[in-house]
Amino acid sequence: MKSILSFTFSLLWGGVMAWGQTATPVAKDSTPVTKDTVVPKKDKYGLRVGVDLFKLSRSFYDSNYRGLELTGDFRLTRKHYLAVELGNEKKTVQEDHFNFTTNGSFIRVGFDYNSYENWTGMNNQVYTGLRYGFSTFSQTLNSYSIYYPNSTFPSPLITPNTEFSGLTAHWAEVVAGVKAELFSNFFMGFSFRLNYLISEKKPETFANLYIPGFNRTYEGRFGVGFNYTISYLVPLFKVTVKDAATLEKERKAKEAAKAKKMEAKLAREAKKKR
């Protein structure tokens, strides 16, 4: 009897131990495994519109000037931008012996090339560009006096108030400037311009000493310009920037395809000669 009880107890104890081993799960590491991923760089493409603060502010402190210039550019490639500027100017100039007023509109169209290498997420520009400019305007001779070198009394002031309308001018510009992103999609910039007058229509008895969009001519074909802008970029889409390895791979693939095409062409020509 005692041996039977011992056997039964041993059997039950072995079953409990076996159940415990199968019921207790093996602890596993619950820490998620993260993989290193590189987020591809993307450049913003869109329309950037702005205003020339120099002309706008000058209209408030200079009683002889009224002007407004709107600017815009559209990104074509990673480095190239299509650019346009348009506006209106009215300026009265007082010289030693005459006073005149120029009033008209202008447009400049061209492109910019950005030479600045941006870091990830940056959209700054250090650029050069070319423009074609066109202006249509009028000149009003407000007053003038005839200069007499040996006159004792001052020359009388003549006020004809003669307006010459339907005047035009064409010119080319070389542009250099900077645009810096202050915060998301807002930019501040400035540019310098060297202008060359291609052609102009001027009055028979008066010169175009000031042309809207071109500035002073100094009775010659060269002029200079400057603007100080604030602008906003309207993002339309983004383009992934390819890394150096991808660009090199694509270059080699293009060269291989070109070599294969040339090889096929030479084979066809050799076949024709047989």
Side-chain angles (χ1 to χ4, degrees):
M1 184 67 178
K2 185 177 180 180
S3 61
I4 294 174
L5 290 174
S6 299
F7 175 77
T8 304
F9 179 77
S10 299
L11 184 64
L12 291 173
W13 179 254
V16 171
M17 293 298 293
W19 179 84
Q21 291 178 356
T22 57
T24 304
V26 178
K28 295 183 179 180
D29 187 6
S30 60
T31 304
V33 178
T34 58
K35 297 181 179 180
D36 293 334
T37 57
V38 178
V39 179
K41 177 183 175 182
K42 292 188 176 182
D43 282 343
K44 296 178 183 178
Y45 282 66
L47 177 65
R48 179 166 41 198
V49 293
V51 61
D52 181 4
L53 296 178
F54 177 70
K55 288 184 175 63
L56 185 63
S57 61
R58 187 179 177 184
S59 299
F60 291 97
Y61 66 79
D62 187 350
S63 61
N64 291 322
Y65 181 86
R66 293 290 181 273
L68 177 66
E69 179 178 330
L70 303 178
T71 66
D73 63 58
F74 183 82
R75 192 172 192 175
L76 299 175
T77 68
R78 188 183 176 193
K79 294 289 188 179
H80 296 86
Y81 295 75
L82 178 66
V84 61
E85 296 125 6
L86 55 91
N88 180 273
E89 286 186 291
K90 182 178 182 181
K91 180 176 175 61
T92 299
V93 178
Q94 176 64 57
E95 297 288 354
D96 292 337
H97 298 282
F98 58 90
N99 179 293
F100 69 94
T101 299
T102 302
N103 186 13
S105 302
F106 64 90
I107 184 171
R108 298 187 292 257
V109 180
F111 69 90
D112 294 328
Y113 175 79
N114 182 21
S115 59
Y116 185 75
E117 291 293 338
N118 284 295
W119 294 355
T120 302
M122 295 175 61
N123 296 286
N124 300 325
Q125 284 184 254
V126 178
Y127 64 92
T128 55
L130 295 174
R131 300 283 190 276
Y132 162 75
F134 172 75
S135 178
T136 175
F137 56 98
S138 66
Q139 300 273 21
T140 301
L141 180 59
N142 300 316
S143 63
Y144 68 92
S145 60
I146 301 175
Y147 175 65
Y148 297 103
N150 298 321
S151 177
T152 304
F153 300 99
S155 301
L157 185 66
I158 303 172
T159 56
N161 291 321
T162 304
E163 180 180 353
F164 307 95
S165 59
L167 308 177
T168 58
H170 304 258
W171 69 91
E173 293 185 2
V174 177
V175 184
V178 173
K179 289 180 182 177
E181 189 171 15
L182 302 179
F183 45 93
S184 182
N185 298 330
F186 280 92
F187 294 80
M188 187 73 75
F190 63 87
S191 69
F192 297 95
R193 298 152 186 272
L194 177 62
N195 310 332
Y196 178 77
L197 189 61
I198 299 173
S199 64
E200 63 176 326
K201 181 181 179 182
K202 54 185 179 180
E204 296 180 359
T205 58
F206 193 67
N208 291 325
L209 301 180
Y210 190 93
I211 298 174
F214 183 93
N215 296 329
R216 292 201 58 166
T217 62
Y218 299 97
E219 300 185 11
R221 290 192 171 274
F222 287 95
V224 294
F226 171 84
N227 70 359
Y228 186 76
T229 61
I230 185 171
S231 55
Y232 177 76
L233 173 64
V234 182
L236 299 179
F237 57 93
K238 293 183 178 181
V239 175
T240 302
V241 179
K242 299 177 182 179
D243 55 22
T246 303
L247 293 174
E248 181 65 16
K249 185 178 180 180
E250 291 182 353
R251 185 187 66 81
K252 291 181 178 180
K254 289 180 180 179
E255 290 180 352
K258 186 177 180 180
K260 187 175 181 180
K261 186 177 180 180
M262 181 61 68
E263 184 179 351
K265 181 179 179 181
L266 294 175
R268 288 194 301 269
E269 291 177 354
K271 187 177 181 180
K272 290 180 180 180
K273 293 179 180 179
R274 294 176 183 176

